[in-house]
Amino acid sequence: KQEQSFLAYHFGKKQGKGISYYADGTLASVGEFLQGIPLGEHTENYPDGRLKKKVIYEKGDQPPFHSQVKEYFSNGSIKAEYE
């Protein structure tokens, strides 16, 4: 399935809230960017809309560092959790 993405660029760097959808309109991913660096909560979903992955990025030096990652199986149970 082809995804559609919506994200602003400022001087060639990702800026603001990025959102992508699967071809059927289901939310595929959401995340914030500040001058090209991921910031805050980023989520990815399976094509059926269930949560696939959640990553929390802390504001800091490049490359961006995550403080928490959770990955899920398509049935919703936790596949992996790490910091």
Side-chain angles (χ1 to χ4, degrees):
K1 294 182 179 180
Q2 186 176 3
E3 292 184 17
Q4 294 183 341
S5 297
F6 301 93
L7 178 63
Y9 283 80
H10 185 69
F11 293 105
K13 295 183 179 183
K14 296 176 182 180
Q15 183 70 30
K17 188 173 190 176
I19 303 173
S20 64
Y21 298 91
Y22 289 104
D24 67 358
T26 304
L27 185 64
S29 64
V30 177
E32 291 276 342
F33 294 86
L34 180 61
Q35 298 177 351
I37 300 170
L39 181 63
E41 183 176 288
H42 283 238
T43 59
E44 296 176 26
N45 296 325
Y46 286 102
D48 66 1
R50 292 178 190 236
L51 185 61
K52 181 177 184 180
K53 185 176 186 179
K54 183 193 310 186
V55 181
I56 307 292
Y57 291 97
E58 296 178 354
K59 186 175 181 179
D61 298 327
Q62 287 185 337
F65 297 100
H66 59 267
S67 61
Q68 183 181 26
V69 178
K70 285 186 181 180
E71 295 182 43
Y72 300 87
F73 290 106
S74 59
N75 67 5
S77 62
I78 294 176
K79 180 178 184 179
E81 188 172 3
Y82 47 94
E83 295 183 15

